[in-house]
Amino acid sequence: MILLDCPLSGTGAQARVKDLLIYVSGDRSAYRRIVPVLQGFTSANFYVGAFGAGSKMKFVANLLVAIHNVRGGGGNGAGNEGGARSGVGAESRRGRRRRLAHVPGARTMMVKGDYSEATMKNEVWQKDMTIIADFARELDCPTPLFAASAPIYNAAMAMGLGKETPAQWCAVLEQMAGNPRRRKKR
């Protein structure tokens, strides 16, 4: 029996539409044999090296997602604060084939100001943030942008948004600016 390290990247909503990534590490010949299986439920698969490298790659990918997500919320919030119609910033980024990497539908959530349709919960993302921070600390690797994103996610938790999606960065940043939109009641 051969064991491979194969963490998935994506949410349950992404899994339903076969939009998952998988980082495979371990025996390369075993990886080659299972590629057809991986293609059955992922949009892309990557062989990343010796056993354990898959998990490390997942930590790196999520580190980038944390930064990217806050950037997207900040951009949308700045557009709203600047007087642009809600969502224009998100629409313009779509034209450049960019997407908020971790949360499907994040643009729609930011435009509507409704973050209740959680494809991933902020409280789960907090666990990932801790794992990523520990990983970087063990490597003695500075991650200043990741560290700068952490207070936004922590603020979301303090605002009682633990059961909602991490896509609520826009709402957190609006609250920090003293100009929160009214949230829809469910």
Side-chain angles (χ1 to χ4, degrees):
M1 179 183 292
I2 297 173
L3 178 65
L4 296 171
D5 172 32
C6 304
L8 294 169
S9 182
T11 66
Q14 288 172 290
R16 285 189 286 281
V17 295
K18 196 180 148 188
D19 188 26
L20 296 173
L21 303 179
I22 190 165
Y23 305 111
V24 182
S25 62
D27 183 79
R28 187 177 212 128
S29 62
Y31 160 73
R32 287 186 189 119
R33 288 192 305 272
I34 66 164
V35 165
V37 174
L38 302 177
Q39 291 172 333
F41 66 94
T42 64
S43 57
N45 64 80
F46 303 95
Y47 178 78
V48 296
F51 189 86
S55 291
K56 293 172 185 175
M57 187 64 225
K58 166 85 177 202
F59 302 156
V60 171
N62 279 358
L63 179 149
L64 295 172
V65 165
I67 296 165
H68 180 67
N69 288 345
V70 171
R71 182 227 26 110
N76 197 63
N80 293 347
E81 291 293 316
R85 178 176 53 83
S86 183
V88 169
E91 290 169 12
S92 68
R93 287 190 306 276
R94 182 182 311 131
R96 292 172 42 202
R97 298 205 34 91
R98 295 202 177 171
R99 68 183 181 111
L100 293 173
H102 200 65
V103 183
R107 284 188 191 100
T108 302
M109 292 178 205
M110 284 190 287
V111 170
K112 291 181 177 178
D114 181 1
Y115 306 97
S116 59
E117 295 296 322
T119 58
M120 178 181 188
K121 293 181 179 152
N122 194 47
E123 60 193 14
V124 173
W125 185 244
Q126 287 293 321
K127 170 200 58 86
D128 290 356
M129 295 283 286
T130 300
I131 291 168
I132 296 163
D134 291 346
F135 171 68
R137 195 172 17 265
E138 286 173 18
L139 295 174
D140 199 23
C141 179
T143 55
L145 294 176
F146 176 73
S149 74
I152 307 305
Y153 295 103
N154 293 340
M157 294 297 288
M159 291 170 60
L161 301 174
K163 299 282 186 209
E164 295 189 32
T165 176
Q168 83 304 41
W169 337 275
C170 188
V172 171
L173 294 169
E174 288 169 347
Q175 181 75 29
M176 289 174 146
N179 192 19
R181 281 186 278 169
R182 285 193 189 153
R183 292 176 48 101
K184 294 183 179 182
K185 299 285 184 195
R186 288 183 66 63

